[in-house]
Amino acid sequence: MKLNSIARGLLILAAALFAFGALIAGCGGGGIGGGGTVGVFIGDDFGGDYNQVWMTLYRVEASADGTDYQTVFDSTSGTPMNLCTLSNTAQFMGAMSMASGQYTKARVTIGDQFHLVTKVGNVPSDVPVDPTGGTAFGGKFTFTMNMPLSVGMGQMANMAIDFDLAGFQMMGGKVRMSVLPMDSGRFGMMQRRGDLEGTVANLVPGVSFDLTMGGGMMMGPMRGVRVLLDASTEIFGENGAGATLANGQRVEVQGAMDPAAMTLTANIVRIETAQGGQYDHAGAQGSVDAIDAGALRFTMTPAWTEHFQPGGTSLTVQTDANTVFRTGGMGGGMMGGNAAFADLAQGAFVMVSGVYDPGTGVLTARRVMIGR
């Protein structure tokens, strides 16, 4: 039967390829030569009975001949995402240097289950992927599809993979996916957002810096992104307090992405601090459901998370005297201001940053930004 509860949904995985000056050696037919850059975007057009559809993305690869593949996105631990939140937005995940030429195939690796939460009753369920047409192994599902794409020198092309949820079917308690190439018109109409991690270089304080990516999330030569700063950009440290940018720092940036210019206009820059060689940051965005002022705690419905997948339909956020509260600073030219726990309100949009404990399902917040 048709999976009516997630009808009309799409996941758009678009890769923008930028070919740059290099010789093409013998690239006839499906040949590859020269050099270029692949930028990966994620998006969705979800409708139906679910208000959360969580998928974990591990890897995206491209091939000219269906035999040799080059990785364009790689997340060792997997990147969880709630596809329902991307109805009009393409999420830029990073950019990878690639050869120019004729690509024919895309190979995608995701988690072997969807985590679904119904709109009525907020009932969660983990539904396995039907392995038909792909390979399931070790908690992951990998499939290959035709994806014709021509990339010329100095040109940009978009590769879009459409997870057509309207065509999904429930077969024996498993979800059989319908995945198609997507036309470029839809991608061209979407907003483009970036949420990237990397290292600061060529800093011009208050103006811009180059974000050098790689070293874990993706493999191979990366194309950097120029990050633009303005007076509304919120810059803070991982402990929640304000901080000063410097070359060599590892940061996470969020803002509006221009893939043609490879620039990101940042509304948030978070300076990361390694603990035992690892970055323990967890982040979430969504609306406030309930507030417990006495315990300095609130619950929220997460629309997007970073570095973790919530264990339930809502997320408990614990604050304390050291938690930094701010208002605004989420783009649109808004200036951030000081705030407090008392400024939280039911239904308010918040962005929280801190440490997530999967055992208790609680995120201990170092910083809470309240939308306005």
Side-chain angles (χ1 to χ4, degrees), residues 160-185:
I161 299 175
D162 178 1
F163 284 66
D164 179 17
L165 298 185
F168 277 31
Q169 293 180 317
M170 190 73 77
M171 306 289 290
K174 298 180 180 180
V175 175
R176 179 171 294 179
M177 298 188 299
S178 173
V179 187
L180 307 166
M182 181 182 175
D183 66 82
S184 59

Side-chain angles (χ1 to χ4, degrees), residues 193-206:
R193 298 285 299 173
D195 186 343
L196 308 175
E197 295 183 57
T199 304
V200 176
N202 302 317
L203 173 66
V204 181

Side-chain angles (χ1 to χ4, degrees), residues 151-359:
V151 182
M153 284 293 179
Q155 297 179 355
M156 184 181 77
N158 293 319
M159 180 175 70
I161 299 175
D162 178 1
F163 284 66
D164 179 17
L165 298 185
F168 277 31
Q169 293 180 317
M170 190 73 77
M171 306 289 290
K174 298 180 180 180
V175 175
R176 179 171 294 179
M177 298 188 299
S178 173
V179 187
L180 307 166
M182 181 182 175
D183 66 82
S184 59
R186 163 86 178 148
F187 175 71
M189 296 175 62
M190 302 183 80
Q191 301 178 44
R192 296 169 176 84
R193 298 285 299 173
D195 186 343
L196 308 175
E197 295 183 57
T199 304
V200 176
N202 302 317
L203 173 66
V204 181
V207 178
S208 63
F209 64 86
D210 291 331
L211 183 71
T212 303
M213 295 175 290
M217 186 184 77
M218 290 183 167
M219 304 180 66
M222 300 288 295
R223 175 168 178 170
V225 171
R226 188 68 176 171
V227 177
L228 306 180
L229 310 172
D230 58 30
S232 67
T233 304
E234 288 275 354
I235 301 174
F236 56 93
E238 197 166 67
N239 64 359
T244 302
L245 277 173
N247 288 324
Q249 290 173 331
R250 182 174 175 84
V251 297
E252 178 187 358
V253 296
Q254 297 179 19
M257 184 71 199
D258 182 346
M262 289 297 288
T263 59
L264 184 148
T265 301
N267 56 306
I268 291 176
V269 178
R270 182 178 56 79
I271 302 171
E272 298 182 334
T273 304
Q275 311 220 354
Q278 299 294 320
Y279 297 93
D280 64 355
H281 160 75
Q285 304 176 20
S287 59
V288 175
D289 297 325
I291 300 171
D292 184 345
L296 294 178
R297 179 186 303 139
F298 65 92
T299 58
M300 61 181 290
T301 298
W304 182 269
T305 65
E306 300 170 275
H307 309 307
F308 79 101
Q309 178 176 307
T313 59
S314 66
L315 174 66
T316 298
V317 179
Q318 181 66 58
T319 70
D320 57 32
N322 296 317
T323 303
V324 175
F325 287 86
R326 298 278 288 173
T327 60
M330 299 184 188
M334 292 189 301
M335 294 290 293
N338 293 327
F341 186 92
D343 293 310
L344 288 169
Q346 188 173 8
F349 179 81
V350 293
M351 300 174 66
V352 299
S353 174
V355 179
Y356 179 72
D357 184 344

Side-chain angles (χ1 to χ4, degrees), residues 19-27 31-36 70 97-101 103 153:
F20 52 82
L23 295 176
I24 299 179
C27 61
I32 294 291
Q70 182 171 345
S97 295
M98 295 282 287
S100 60
Y103 290 85
M153 284 293 179

Side-chain angles (χ1 to χ4, degrees), residues 127-142:
V127 182
V129 175
D130 187 321
T132 303
T135 302
F137 179 78
K140 301 176 183 178
F141 177 69
T142 300

Side-chain angles (χ1 to χ4, degrees), residues 40-94:
V40 180
F41 288 84
I42 302 293
D44 179 66
D45 182 19
F46 177 83
D49 293 340
Y50 288 115
N51 58 25
Q52 296 183 39
V53 175
W54 290 90
M55 186 197 77
T56 302
L57 179 66
Y58 287 95
R59 180 172 294 180
V60 181
E61 301 164 281
S63 175
D65 56 11
T67 300
D68 297 319
Y69 284 85
Q70 182 171 345
T71 300
V72 295
F73 174 83
D74 187 37
S75 176
T76 303
S77 59
T79 300
M81 55 192 66
N82 179 8
L83 305 181
C84 301
T85 65
L86 303 177
S87 58
N88 296 302
T89 301
Q91 187 78 18
F92 183 78
M93 308 296 288

